[in-house]
Amino acid sequence: MKLKFPILFILIAAGLNVFAQPISKQQQYQNDSTVVSRLATILLTNSTGYEDLRILCKTIGHRLSGSTAAAKAVEWGKNTLINAGCDRVYLQPVLVPKWVRGQEEAQVIMQDGQKLNLEALGLGNAVGTTADGLEAKIVEVRNMEELEQLGVENISGKIVFFNHEWRQGVINPFKEYGGCVEYRWAGPSKAAKYGAVGVIIRSAGSGYDNFAHTGSMRYDTLYNKIPAMAISYLMAEKLQRMVRAKQIRAVRMFSNSHFEPDVLSYNVIGELTGTDAGKEIITIGGHLDSWDVGEGAHDDGAGVVQSIDVLRAFKKLGIKPRRTVRCVLFMNEENGLRGGKEYARVAKLNKENHILAIETDAGGSSPRGFSLSMDKTKKEKVLGWKNIFYPLGVYDFAEEGGGADIGPLQQAFNTPLMGLEPDPQNYFDLHHTNKDVFEEVNRRELTMGSVAIAAMVYMVCEHGL
Ligand SMILES: [Zn+2]
C-alpha cells in the first residue's frame, strides 16, 4: 500500500500538469503565431466569406431596417451561421423604425426658365414635401458660422445649400468625416431654426464623382421638420458656380419619403461555446442593415461576412475557444441603433460577462489596425501582442474607439471595445452611395480582415484581457 501512493500521486499530478514547466515567452509566441498562421491559411484558401458577400449583395441587395430585404437578410444570416457550424444560433427580437424612400426630385430653375436636375438623394429619416413640392430661392452657406451670420432675415423662406467641403488634405478620412457629417445629421434643423424651408447638402464624402451620399439625419423637435437632400461632389461644384453667378431663380424640391410604423426585426446571433472560461463572452460583429442605395457591400456586408468567417475558421481548424465567441449581426445601425441597444439591454438582464467586443464596420479593405477603447493596462496587454499582428500588416493600435453597435455594451458593463481598422482611403468615396456594391470589394483584402479579427479573438480567448 505504501508504495502505491507515490505512483498514484505522480499519475494525478501529471494529469493536473503540476510538473509541466512554465512555458517561456518565446515558446508562447511561437505557439500563438503558429495558430494565427493556420487561421490565415485556412481563411485565405478556404473562406466562403467573399461568396457569402456576393449572395448577400446580389440576391438580397440593400436592406434598410424594416424592409422586406432586411427580413430576407435575417434569414440568410441565420442560415449562414448555422452552416458555419455554430454551437448555437438564435434570433434576438428588436422593433426597428421603418423609413421609406419615395420619389425624390430637386431641380434648379434658371433665370431664363431652363431647368437642371440636381440628381439629389434624400437624407435618411427626412420628411417629404407637400404633394405640390416646394419652390424657393436658394442661399449658399459654407459652414454653420455663415448660417448664423446670415440669420433669419436672409434664410427665412429659402432653401439652404450647405456647401461644406471635404478637406482633401486630411490624411485619415474618418477624421474628416467626423466634421462633415454634422451638416448631414444636424444641418436641416439648424437651418430650420432660421426659417429655412428645405436643405440641400454637399455630400459628406471624399469622391470626385457624381455619386450622392445619403445617411442619417435627426430633427431637433424645437424647429419645423424640413426636407433635406444631398448632391454629389460634381453637382455641388456646378451648383456653387451657378449660385455665385446669380443664375438661379429658384430651386424646386419634391419628396414623398416617410416613416411607417415600427417593424419587428432581429439581431442574428451565433455562438461557439467556450471550454473552460465559458461564462466569459467575446462579441464580434457588424451590422446587417444598410442604406437603401447600392448593395451595402463595404457598409457593412463586409463586416457581417468577416464576423461569420471567424467562427467558421475556428470550427474548421478544430479550435475550441476557451471563452465563448459570439458573432452578432446587428440590426438597425444606420438609422436608429436599436439592435445594438437591445443586445446590451438583454446582456444586462441576463447578467452576462462581456470581456471584449469587436466591431468591423469600416469597410472591407486591407486591415491596418484595431482601435482600442479600454483602460491602460488592457491596452498594454494588447500592445504586447503586436509581433503576432505585424505579419498580417496590422500595426496600428493608436486610435480610440470601437463601433456604434457595441457602444451600448460598454455603457452597460464598461466592456473593452475594439474596432477593426481597414485602410480608409477608399471608404468615403463609396459610403452610403450607389457605388457601394460587391464589385468594389477585393477578396484577399476582405479575407485579411477576417484573419485579423480571428487572430485577435484567438489571443483574447487564450490569454484573456
Ligand atoms: Zn456601417
Side-chain angles (χ1 to χ4, degrees):
M1 286 299 284
K2 271 185 184 173
L3 283 173
K4 279 182 185 171
F5 172 74
I7 295 166
L8 190 64
F9 174 73
I10 288 164
L11 287 173
I12 292 169
L16 292 173
N17 238 359
V18 168
F19 297 139
Q21 288 295 313
I23 187 166
S24 72
K25 271 196 168 172
Q26 185 54 29
Q27 188 57 49
Q28 187 63 60
Y29 168 76
Q30 288 296 348
N31 294 354
D32 289 338
S33 56
T34 302
V35 177
V36 168
S37 130
R38 288 173 65 214
L39 282 165
T41 306
I42 195 101
L43 280 161
L44 285 167
T45 55
N46 260 306
S47 160
T48 54
Y50 185 65
E51 198 50 36
D52 292 342
L53 186 64
R54 185 200 304 277
I55 293 166
L56 180 63
C57 289
K58 296 302 178 193
T59 67
I60 297 173
H62 61 64
R63 43 201 179 274
L64 188 58
S65 293
S67 64
T68 313
K72 282 185 191 161
V74 166
E75 273 308 298
W76 167 89
K78 188 175 111 186
N79 292 330
T80 310
L81 280 165
I82 290 170
N83 293 336
C86 291
D87 298 325
R88 183 175 170 228
V89 176
Y90 58 102
L91 300 182
Q92 183 173 69
V94 54
L95 269 185
V96 296
K98 182 178 182 182
W99 180 78
V100 180
R101 187 184 301 281
Q103 279 177 286
E104 294 169 338
E105 202 177 69
Q107 255 183 353
V108 162
I109 304 164
M110 310 292 280
Q111 299 292 6
D112 63 7
Q114 276 193 59
K115 289 176 183 165
L116 170 80
N117 188 350
L118 290 173
E119 291 159 33
L121 181 62
L123 299 186
N125 302 342
V127 295
T129 60
T130 59
D132 297 337
L134 74 90
E135 198 174 302
K137 288 194 183 321
I138 188 165
V139 55
E140 176 199 359
V141 300
R142 283 171 298 182
N143 49 51
M144 295 301 182
E145 293 71 33
E146 281 190 8
L147 179 78
E148 261 170 55
Q149 280 159 15
L150 286 173
V152 179
E153 57 181 309
N154 296 299
I155 301 291
S156 188
K158 293 187 181 141
I159 291 169
V160 168
F161 171 33
F162 277 113
N163 191 19
H164 181 79
E165 282 192 48
W166 182 283
R167 292 169 304 164
Q168 294 291 345
V170 178
I171 293 169
N172 185 342
F174 276 87
K175 300 241 155 92
E176 183 56 9
Y177 178 66
C180 287
V181 77
E182 185 194 354
Y183 291 86
R184 187 192 79 208
W185 175 253
S189 282
K190 297 251 174 174
K193 180 180 170 189
Y194 297 102
V197 293
V199 158
I200 290 173
I201 68 162
R202 180 189 276 264
S203 285
S206 56
Y208 281 69
D209 57 26
N210 49 14
F211 289 89
H213 299 237
T214 188
S216 255
M217 57 137 306
R218 189 170 67 180
Y219 291 113
D220 183 331
T221 50
L222 289 175
Y223 310 109
N224 283 342
K225 293 181 176 180
I226 60 174
M229 298 179 185
I231 57 174
S232 71
Y233 168 85
L234 290 175
M235 194 58 83
E237 291 290 298
K238 198 184 259 184
L239 183 60
Q240 169 185 301
R241 279 196 299 276
M242 292 189 296
V243 169
R244 291 179 189 178
K246 302 194 184 338
Q247 294 168 331
I248 299 175
R249 190 164 78 209
V251 168
R252 204 184 126 67
M253 292 173 80
F254 172 80
S255 157
N256 54 13
S257 300
H258 60 279
F259 273 102
E260 291 181 6
D262 286 359
V263 170
L264 178 62
S265 186
Y266 303 90
N267 291 327
V268 186
I269 303 178
E271 267 181 26
L272 292 182
T273 312
T275 51
D276 55 307
K279 293 250 162 69
E280 291 187 351
I281 299 167
I282 299 168
T283 294
I284 55 173
H287 63 87
L288 195 50
D289 63 308
S290 79
W291 275 108
D292 57 341
V293 290
E295 295 166 357
H298 277 281
D299 187 12
D300 185 25
V304 163
V305 301
Q306 285 171 334
S307 303
I308 301 171
D309 244 358
V310 172
L311 267 57
R312 192 192 284 120
F314 271 56
K315 200 75 192 176
K316 272 200 173 149
L317 286 181
I319 298 173
K320 296 201 186 328
R322 292 180 57 188
R323 290 159 168 95
T324 290
V325 183
R326 193 185 279 168
C327 167
V328 185
L329 316 181
F330 291 96
M331 184 51 73
N332 188 227
E333 189 270 350
E334 293 292 6
N335 66 333
L337 210 61
R338 301 258 188 103
K341 287 176 183 164
E342 183 62 8
Y343 181 67
R345 190 190 70 81
V346 173
K348 186 120 193 168
L349 201 70
N350 294 339
K351 298 189 169 65
E352 290 175 349
N353 182 9
H354 288 262
I355 64 157
L356 172 69
I358 307 177
E359 181 145 12
T360 156
D361 181 21
S365 300
S366 285
R368 298 281 190 250
F370 286 90
S371 56
L372 309 178
S373 177
M374 58 192 68
D375 67 38
K376 201 164 161 255
T377 320
K378 291 185 169 62
K379 271 187 186 172
E380 276 163 9
K381 183 159 186 173
V382 174
L383 287 173
W385 304 333
K386 61 182 192 242
N387 286 342
I388 295 284
F389 288 92
Y390 276 142
L392 309 178
V394 170
Y395 55 84
D396 184 359
F397 298 92
E399 298 293 327
E400 278 278 330
D405 290 300
I406 54 177
L409 207 57
Q410 188 166 58
Q411 283 161 20
F413 298 102
N414 201 24
T415 303
L417 306 183
M418 293 187 191
L420 180 70
E421 290 193 333
D423 184 302
Q425 298 305 337
N426 197 29
Y427 189 60
F428 288 103
D429 283 16
L430 309 158
H431 185 246
H432 300 176
T433 73
N434 271 311
K435 206 175 164 186
D436 185 9
V437 293
F438 172 72
E439 290 79 358
E440 294 288 336
V441 179
N442 174 279
R443 182 183 180 276
R444 284 188 68 84
E445 295 192 13
L446 174 78
T447 309
M448 282 308 297
S450 310
V451 174
I453 304 166
M456 186 60 83
V457 169
Y458 174 74
M459 292 304 284
V460 179
C461 276
E462 281 300 296
H463 306 294
L465 190 64

